[in-house]
Amino acid sequence: MSEQHKKHLFAAVVLAVVALLVWQATGKQSTETPGLAEQQNQPTEAVLRRGNGPEPESLNPQNSRTDPAFNLARDLFEGLLTHAPNGDLVPGVATSWDISEDGLTYTFHLRPDARWSNGDPVVADDFVYSFRRLADPSTAAFYAQNMAPVVNGSAILSGEMDASELGVEAPDPATFVVYLVTPTPYLLDLLTHPSMYPVNAAAIDAHGKDYGRPGNLVSNGAFVLEEWVVGAYISVRRNDHYWGNQGNRIDRVIFYNTSDDSAELKRYRAGELDFTYTIPLQQFRWIKENLADEFRVHPYLTTYYYGLNLRKPPFKDSPQLRQALAMSIDRELLTEKITGVGELPAYGWVPPGTSNYTPQSFAWAGMDAAQRNARAKQLYAQAGYGPENPAQVEIRYNTAETHQRIAVAVASMWKDVLGVETTLVNEEFQVLIQHIRQGEITQAFRSSWIGDYNDAQTFAVFFQSDFDLNLSGYNNPAYDALLAQASRENDLAKRRGLLEQAESLMLADTPVIPMYFHVSRHLVKPWVKDWQDNIMNLQYSRHLSLQRD
Amino acid sequence: MLRLILKRLLTAIPTLLVLVTAAFFLMRAVPGGPFAGERNLTPQVEQNLRAAYHLDESLGMQYLRYLGGLLQGDLGPSFQYPDYSVAELIAAGLPYSLQLGGLAFLLALAVGIPAGVVAARHANSPTDMGIMAFCLVGISVPNFVVAPLLVLVFAIHLDWLPAMAVEAGRGMGLRNMVLPVIALALPQIAYIARITRSSMLDVLGAGYITMARARGLSERRVLWGHALRPALLPVASYLGPAAAALLTGSVVVEQIFGIPGIGRYFVQGAVNRDYTLVMGVVVFYGTLVIGFNMLVDISYRLIDPRLRRS
Amino acid sequence: MNDQPLIATHWQAALGRLARNRAALAAAVVLVLICLAVVLGPWLVSVAPDAVDWDNISTPPSLANGHLLGTDANGRDLLARILAGGRISLAVGLVATLVSVLIGVSYGAVAGYLGGRIDQLMMRAVDVLYALPFLFLVILLTVYFGRHVILIFLAIGAINWLDMSRIVRGQAMGLRNQEFVLAARAMGVSSRDILLRHILPNLTGIVVVYATLTVPQVILAESFLSFLGLGVHEPLTSWGSLIAEGAKEMENAPWMLIYPGLGLGVTLLCLNFLGDGLRDAFDPVRSDKGVG
């Protein structure tokens, strides 16, 4: 290569870079034009195109465990109870139910017009079969734990009893009875969970693990499975046998696999999706500026927190340090500048909106930032730390943009207020989980607790000393006693009081640092009507309608 | 020729066995398990899950079980997707990967080789400079920058092409394939053009080319008739691994265009500790690489008559 | 029989030719400047790369607020982060290349020189490693070794040596039958000495050239890992991670993609020119033919 030409090449590259810069600087947002797919897809039938996150692991409701699979299960199946568009509990397959005085026996009366997608009636025996299937260890169900309150449920789970011993019964085809070990006021809510949906015994016998495939899946919800292209999309169509078919204005739903949220946003903008599963967090400013009208944010039942490992130093026996760290985080700043789409700063554990409950707060929640920081410094000093002797804290989080940005911000706040020296350790998710469980090397770790049903119990149980997933290792006999008392209590108001008292007690000990309560985030095209945000982040396709102008 | 193929096939078996063994024990040595999720499992439930997938057996037993299955062509069930077996997952993704990877491979050859030849023919001219500058960009810009840029420009701003590779009811049409194929082919075009140019220049300096020119053959005939064939040898040896990589897809491109191919299983499987899925794709990829290398050897003999005789 | 002076003159001649190649020289100078800037980064920019500026989150380049290249989504100064990231990226490139050269050259030279059954066995092992997907190996290694920066370098280097070993083996096989090697063997010089004194020195040219091509490859591999979230730890960063972050925000915060990209681009370009220059310098016959 001669000198002359090398110079040319160099100049060419420089020019290209300059051109790129100029393009970036001048390239203003062109006005959004309707996408190709929209133009071509003039609806003869109402087709809803949903972004549905990562690939659902299974369409068999007892074998599924993640929201993408649950979203499909909610369209394909229906439990004894279901949700109204606003998230309220309403009758599903059961039209009514009776609860015994002691709260231990639930009798459900099934709807006579409930049908499977093959036309067969849905009967009480279907529920007996499905509940046993959930509890049976050989099903390897992720949510088998939901059977724990049912008589013999725990024994079946641990393999000590056969699934046929489960405390459920079908005295006649239209009556289904559940016997409980303890009053479980949240049972009705639990019944809307996909793991509690009925599955078709005949189809499972015929197809085994292939039950969840198009052609094999016999379901009882508003839609039936039509096509499953693994990794791309799953399409479902209207179930002609569904009892509530009249109210369903959607003919076909396509659940697109959108495992990359940036790519999902691009597809939405190209007009290929009617609403998104979530939004890429790092683009929230752009979305707020450009797509504000289509952006839907609503609180939902999840607490984002930093757990503190109480089994080991520095957090073992040092409530002052734990409190100081909890106080010195400016949650308003965090939720405004870092997460930024409307997350609620968390000063307590149970999210607002939890039914029949008043969320509790840290005693210091009412202080202003200056008071709070001053108090935090005092506590920090009491714990034996100071400028000469700063606390060394390690935050472990799993690899993801959001967690990383929050950890960076928290470390900077701890440093500014207290002088804490923080090490950030980002681990792969599976490794982090293992480390948290072992409780040997973790100090502070990031996690979230997701409410499985709308009741404070699902949050309270996390700190029970013998709970399997008490990740912080919190052990307070007084707390356990309050929870035990609440579980025996049949009076809802008294039970509520006990749970609230327990939360206050726990917060004073600060075994975790709640950061914020999550919000659901969706972009919804203007032609999607009847959308209602709700605390469970549920969107049944049959509640929606499409109206293009 | 037949003997060569047989011999390569025989040596492929121990190679594959070592590969399977290494992958199996490497995967198990990594901390974490296949069942942890954002919502944690209670230990009892996890124990039941482990028993259901034979993970409670000794490692040696599991290894033998896997090998036994493999001999019968059974890659086992997927841990992550209980509705599917690993073989079914690979079979479902393969048509997409083959189609896109195959097209990208052809595009890379169709553009890369001529570009390399032209660059060598006009060595050091502005044409050469332009082609080489393009190659430099193709090689050094990561595809997680190229792919979103393509979507942004062609799918959103210009609205010429779809952003999604597969649309319900329409499948993967030609229009859907344009952007992902370009994103996949771009770096390969660059590599192939560079290799072609450099080996072409070597060949053009050789004695018999000078002879051919001296005999008064046209430059075109010299270039395409005499020089190209030997110049393709180094390209062929590059193509083996390149083809295997293209056909098994690119994680990044699949993720950005929502392609249901098998490339993402390499990452997903490893990250989720879906042991059987990882093993499945590793075995599949290994077989492809060994197979393509065999093809390369054969094509060597076809391209270069001297090797054929020896 | 002593060919050391010969090699010395070979090197001198090569360096002499390199010095006359102005493009390669310019590339070398730019590279040195980049290295200096990156190493002296903390003294050049007063802001720490992990300091959060709460008032300037994700702001474009501006003189007014002191963030010459803007800030990222955490309000950290981009210039400081590019300099800090460059340190990691260049270190990744150098260390990983060194590792891959060390393993590749010794493995290839031994296999090529010894030949026969040992060569067969060693190359079969390379085949197995080739058949293991790169990504799978790197993921396993980074997970297993807890994602330490040094270990990422080692992991990438430890996987990149395959090509190197193949090339070196080919060369060594050719050298094995050269007269001076045959003569040394006839005189009873041990295999080890022949390898160290006769084979390896003659491989320098191709190794140097190939090494300059490996550096960019390795830097890109690291950026790919960063995209998958398997790269270096916060608060450390690398050009790859910065570009991966920037690629997600190319529309609303283009500076986050352009400036780290520019850093990486210029470095790769210079390495390429330098590599070409070195090849010309070590292989005068070819460059005389006008081959670039």
Side-chain angles (χ1 to χ4, degrees):
Chain A
M1 219 185 259
S2 73
E3 297 309 306
Q4 197 64 37
H5 290 122
K6 288 219 164 135
K7 270 186 217 145
H8 281 314
L9 176 49
F10 209 87
V13 172
V14 169
L15 260 175
V17 169
V18 170
L20 186 72
L21 285 168
V22 169
W23 175 69
Q24 279 292 354
T26 56
K28 287 283 162 276
Q29 190 59 51
S30 73
T31 47
E32 298 278 312
T33 49
L36 290 163
E38 284 157 41
Q39 292 163 353
Q40 291 162 5
N41 210 3
Q42 284 310 323
T44 47
E45 57 172 6
V47 181
L48 179 69
R49 302 159 305 164
R50 305 174 61 143
N52 197 42
E55 185 72 15
E57 59 287 335
S58 173
L59 293 190
N60 189 328
Q62 273 101 40
N63 292 108
S64 50
R65 68 183 306 202
T66 62
D67 285 334
F70 290 161
N71 284 341
L72 268 144
R74 291 193 180 100
D75 273 1
L76 290 170
F77 293 90
E78 186 167 78
L80 290 165
L81 278 83
T82 182
H83 291 105
N86 64 4
D88 286 351
L89 287 184
V90 291
V93 174
T95 47
S96 63
W97 45 89
D98 314 310
I99 305 170
S100 66
E101 291 261 316
D102 57 3
L104 294 178
T105 308
Y106 282 66
T107 308
F108 296 90
H109 307 288
L110 308 193
R111 145 185 333 274
D113 52 349
R115 292 279 181 280
W116 291 102
S117 52
N118 61 7
D120 294 347
V122 178
V123 292
D125 271 328
D126 290 323
F127 282 93
V128 171
Y129 173 83
S130 308
F131 278 37
R132 284 179 184 163
R133 187 167 183 277
L134 179 62
D136 192 337
S138 69
T139 307
F142 293 99
Y143 273 87
Q145 201 58 31
N146 283 352
M147 281 299 147
V150 180
V151 168
N152 293 338
S154 299
I156 295 168
L157 264 172
S158 58
E160 291 153 31
M161 260 189 204
D162 189 77
S164 60
E165 310 276 332
L166 189 70
V168 290
E169 191 175 68
D172 65 76
T175 313
F176 177 62
V177 189
V178 180
Y179 300 99
L180 303 176
V181 208
T182 56
T184 312
Y186 54 89
L187 182 80
L188 294 180
D189 218 301
L190 200 59
L191 288 172
T192 62
H193 191 271
S195 64
M196 310 294 254
Y197 288 168
V199 287
N200 190 286
I204 289 189
D205 287 345
H207 304 291
K209 87 166 177 52
D210 291 345
Y211 172 57
R213 305 288 184 84
N216 300 348
L217 190 73
V218 176
S219 61
N220 71 328
F223 296 90
V224 281
L225 182 61
E226 186 177 49
E227 196 186 1
W228 185 351
V229 181
V230 182
Y233 64 87
I234 295 176
S235 75
V236 302
R237 73 178 146 73
R238 178 191 285 272
N239 175 6
D240 295 329
H241 295 285
Y242 180 57
W243 63 268
N245 205 5
Q246 235 93 67
N248 179 11
R249 288 150 298 171
I250 302 288
D251 296 310
R252 180 169 270 123
V253 190
I254 299 157
F255 292 80
Y256 280 105
N257 175 325
T258 53
S259 38
D260 180 300
D261 51 15
S262 298
E264 181 183 40
L265 175 61
K266 293 201 177 70
R267 287 189 217 169
Y268 175 83
R269 290 173 60 196
E272 294 165 13
L273 296 172
D274 292 323
F275 67 90
T276 65
Y277 182 69
T278 183
I279 60 146
L281 198 57
Q282 63 273 23
Q283 306 238 47
F284 77 85
R285 283 195 192 84
W286 185 91
I287 290 171
K288 277 176 160 177
E289 279 164 29
N290 295 283
L291 294 170
D293 295 346
E294 301 171 16
F295 189 32
R296 313 289 297 239
V297 173
H298 194 270
Y300 91 112
L301 288 182
T302 300
T303 310
Y304 188 99
Y305 69 96
Y306 277 5
L308 304 174
N309 183 4
L310 304 186
R311 304 172 195 93
K312 300 275 169 185
F315 298 124
K316 188 181 184 199
D317 303 325
S318 185
Q320 293 95 342
L321 176 63
R322 305 195 301 255
Q323 285 156 3
L325 292 178
M327 291 172 87
S328 54
I329 294 171
D330 187 336
R331 292 165 177 75
E332 271 74 21
L333 203 56
L334 198 70
T335 49
E336 187 197 323
K337 303 267 191 177
I338 300 295
T339 58
V341 293
E343 288 84 356
L344 293 167
Y347 293 95
W349 177 246
V350 182
T354 305
S355 67
N356 194 28
Y357 192 81
T358 310
Q360 305 295 298
S361 308
F362 286 117
W364 44 263
M367 295 183 186
D368 66 32
Q371 287 174 315
R372 211 181 277 161
N373 288 346
R375 178 78 187 120
K377 276 181 207 152
Q378 264 177 9
L379 288 164
Y380 186 66
Q382 280 172 23
Y385 301 100
E388 305 302 307
N389 172 31
Q392 317 263 345
V393 177
E394 192 181 77
I395 301 176
R396 269 172 207 272
Y397 59 96
N398 56 301
T399 313
E401 190 100 11
T402 321
H403 308 325
Q404 179 166 307
R405 291 178 52 200
I406 290 170
V408 167
V410 167
S412 134
M413 289 167 175
W414 283 350
K415 183 167 187 154
D416 291 348
V417 178
L418 304 171
V420 173
E421 286 175 9
T422 312
T423 319
L424 302 183
V425 182
N426 104 45
E427 291 182 316
E428 206 209 358
F429 187 66
Q430 303 294 336
V431 180
L432 177 71
I433 294 280
Q434 183 164 339
H435 284 152
I436 294 176
R437 293 277 194 91
Q438 288 165 346
E440 292 291 329
I441 59 168
T442 43
Q443 296 187 355
F445 53 89
R446 96 84 222 167
S447 191
S448 346
W449 190 252
I450 307 168
D452 283 326
Y453 42 87
N454 190 355
D455 187 274
Q457 169 70 17
T458 185
F459 286 90
V461 71
F462 182 77
F463 296 101
Q464 199 175 300
S465 61
D466 61 349
F467 182 55
D468 299 316
L469 297 171
N470 179 339
L471 300 178
S472 283
Y474 182 63
N475 186 347
N476 184 343
Y479 184 88
D480 290 352
L482 283 169
L483 250 60
Q485 209 182 331
S487 78
R488 288 189 301 270
E489 186 55 66
N490 231 341
D491 180 335
L492 284 182
K494 279 187 192 156
R495 174 175 177 271
R496 168 185 181 154
L498 290 165
L499 289 175
E500 288 168 0
Q501 204 182 329
E503 187 188 359
S504 290
L505 185 73
M506 177 276 292
L507 287 176
D509 289 333
T510 323
V512 294
I513 305 179
M515 298 282 175
Y516 61 82
F517 301 115
H518 259 293
V519 285
S520 55
R521 308 175 284 244
H522 300 280
L523 282 163
V524 185
K525 290 284 187 194
W527 55 76
V528 177
K529 305 292 180 194
D530 301 311
W531 176 282
Q532 285 193 43
D533 292 299
N534 57 69
I535 187 96
M536 300 294 286
N537 188 20
L538 300 178
Q539 294 302 336
Y540 290 82
S541 300
R542 65 183 155 93
H543 292 154
L544 302 173
S545 66
L546 296 172
Q547 194 175 42
R548 285 167 214 259
D549 306 318
Chain B
M1 184 64 79
L2 201 66
R3 267 190 55 197
L4 173 85
I5 296 177
L6 274 177
K7 207 180 129 201
R8 292 302 299 250
L9 280 178
L10 277 180
T11 51
I13 293 170
T15 311
L16 264 179
L17 186 69
V18 174
L19 179 77
V20 169
T21 312
F24 185 90
F25 288 101
L26 275 175
M27 194 63 213
R28 297 309 174 95
V30 169
F35 300 122
E38 187 75 20
R39 290 181 167 129
N40 288 306
L41 300 178
T42 63
Q44 182 62 56
V45 170
E46 190 166 339
Q47 196 185 317
N48 292 343
L49 280 161
R50 294 180 67 84
Y53 289 100
H54 304 292
L55 287 179
D56 50 348
E57 294 174 354
S58 74
L59 203 55
M61 188 63 212
Q62 291 180 50
Y63 173 64
L64 290 180
R65 187 186 287 280
Y66 186 79
L67 275 190
L70 202 57
L71 281 180
Q72 296 159 32
D74 179 10
L75 294 172
S78 160
F79 293 87
Q80 197 68 24
Y81 306 107
D83 288 7
Y84 289 88
S85 72
V86 171
E88 284 171 327
L89 286 177
I90 294 180
L94 203 56
Y96 296 96
S97 296
L98 280 183
Q99 237 173 309
L100 290 171
L103 276 178
F105 185 73
L106 290 180
L107 182 68
L109 283 181
V111 178
I113 291 179
V117 171
V118 168
R121 167 73 184 82
H122 306 280
N124 298 328
S125 71
T127 317
D128 181 25
M129 294 289 136
I131 292 174
M132 287 301 109
F134 167 80
C135 289
L136 202 61
V137 172
I139 289 172
S140 55
V141 179
N143 54 6
F144 56 76
V145 174
V146 173
L149 205 60
L150 285 174
V151 173
L152 207 57
V153 174
F154 293 102
I156 296 179
H157 287 296
L158 297 175
D159 199 15
W160 287 350
L161 293 160
M164 223 183 303
V166 180
E167 288 169 89
R170 251 172 288 166
M172 187 167 67
L174 262 180
R175 291 165 48 79
N176 300 79
M177 290 196 270
V178 176
L179 294 181
V181 165
I182 291 178
L184 275 173
L186 209 57
Q188 303 298 342
I189 292 176
Y191 274 111
I192 291 175
R194 273 172 71 134
I195 297 171
T196 309
R197 174 181 182 274
S198 142
S199 75
M200 194 74 186
L201 281 171
D202 278 349
V203 172
L204 287 177
Y208 66 97
I209 296 293
T210 321
M211 294 263 287
R213 284 201 180 118
R215 287 212 316 268
L217 289 180
S218 77
E219 191 60 27
R220 180 176 300 210
R221 277 201 64 189
V222 170
L223 210 59
W224 301 100
H226 289 71
L228 184 60
R229 208 156 131 142
L232 284 182
L233 279 177
V235 181
S237 67
Y238 170 75
L239 290 183
L246 272 179
L247 294 187
T248 48
S250 142
V251 194
V252 177
V253 173
E254 286 189 8
Q255 197 170 314
I256 287 169
F257 293 101
I259 300 164
I262 54 181
R264 70 220 143 96
Y265 292 142
F266 287 97
V267 175
Q268 247 179 43
V271 167
N272 293 328
R273 307 291 187 275
D274 193 339
Y275 299 133
T276 42
L277 182 58
V278 167
M279 291 302 297
V281 285
V282 166
V283 169
F284 181 75
Y285 177 83
T287 316
L288 269 188
V289 169
I290 293 171
F292 278 117
N293 279 338
M294 197 156 84
L295 283 181
V296 166
D297 279 3
I298 294 166
S299 68
Y300 251 69
R301 272 152 218 263
L302 293 179
I303 295 175
D304 192 343
R306 281 167 302 172
L307 279 171
R308 207 180 314 179
R309 260 175 263 122
S310 65
Chain C
M1 206 55 246
N2 190 347
D3 51 28
Q4 296 303 70
L6 242 166
I7 286 167
T9 47
H10 178 54
W11 267 86
Q12 275 166 3
L15 289 178
R17 275 192 292 271
L18 188 64
R20 285 193 298 277
N21 182 341
R22 284 215 302 267
L25 213 57
V29 170
V30 175
L31 275 181
V32 169
L33 285 180
I34 290 176
C35 288
L36 276 178
V38 151
V39 171
L40 300 177
W43 289 277
L44 293 176
V45 182
S46 55
V47 197
D50 59 343
V52 175
D53 181 349
W54 287 103
D55 297 323
N56 290 301
I57 288 192
S58 208
T59 48
S62 146
L63 278 173
N65 61 22
H67 299 293
L68 295 181
L69 299 185
T71 58
D72 72 359
N74 258 88
R76 293 175 295 186
D77 186 66
L78 196 59
L79 178 59
R81 290 184 69 70
I82 290 175
L83 292 177
R87 220 166 315 161
I88 302 287
S89 280
L90 292 180
V92 168
L94 291 179
V95 175
T97 303
L98 214 64
V99 172
S100 87
V101 164
L102 272 178
I103 303 180
V105 170
S106 40
Y107 196 92
V110 168
Y113 174 69
L114 294 181
R117 189 150 294 181
I118 297 176
D119 174 45
Q120 284 279 313
L121 208 67
M122 287 176 85
M123 284 299 117
R124 196 70 27 211
V126 169
D127 281 348
V128 171
L129 286 175
Y130 257 119
L132 276 174
F134 168 81
L135 201 57
F136 166 76
L137 274 180
V138 179
I139 291 177
L140 290 195
L141 286 173
T142 51
V143 170
Y144 194 68
F145 292 114
R147 194 113 33 88
H148 217 274
V149 188
I150 303 293
L151 288 161
I152 297 182
F153 301 165
L154 293 181
I156 295 178
I159 287 166
N160 245 303
W161 59 271
L162 297 175
D163 287 332
M164 179 66 95
S165 75
R166 278 201 167 173
I167 291 166
V168 168
R169 168 177 171 268
Q171 296 278 319
M173 276 175 95
L175 287 172
R176 190 160 68 123
N177 297 322
Q178 296 279 316
E179 279 169 25
F180 65 96
V181 175
L182 293 175
R185 202 177 311 159
M187 286 172 68
V189 179
S190 73
S191 289
R192 195 178 139 263
D193 283 351
I194 292 180
L195 263 175
L196 286 179
R197 297 198 38 207
H198 299 290
I199 306 279
L200 287 184
N202 276 297
L203 294 173
T204 326
I206 184 125
V207 168
V208 167
V209 169
Y210 196 77
T212 52
L213 299 176
T214 307
V215 177
Q217 262 180 26
V218 167
I219 294 180
L220 281 175
E222 193 277 332
S223 80
F224 180 58
L225 283 183
S226 299
F227 173 80
L228 295 176
L230 297 165
V232 293
H233 272 294
E234 283 286 337
L236 295 181
T237 187
S238 70
W239 284 342
S241 341
L242 290 173
I243 291 173
E245 276 168 35
K248 290 180 185 152
E249 300 189 58
M250 54 171 75
E251 261 185 304
N252 50 331
W255 59 92
M256 282 180 61
L257 175 61
I258 291 175
Y259 296 109
L262 219 55
L264 182 70
V266 170
T267 307
L268 294 189
L269 192 66
C270 290
L271 279 169
N272 218 61
F273 276 122
L274 192 61
D276 280 352
L278 283 171
R279 186 172 56 200
D280 294 353
F282 276 99
D283 195 357
V285 185
R286 247 187 109 189
S287 57
D288 284 350
K289 283 186 305 207
V291 179

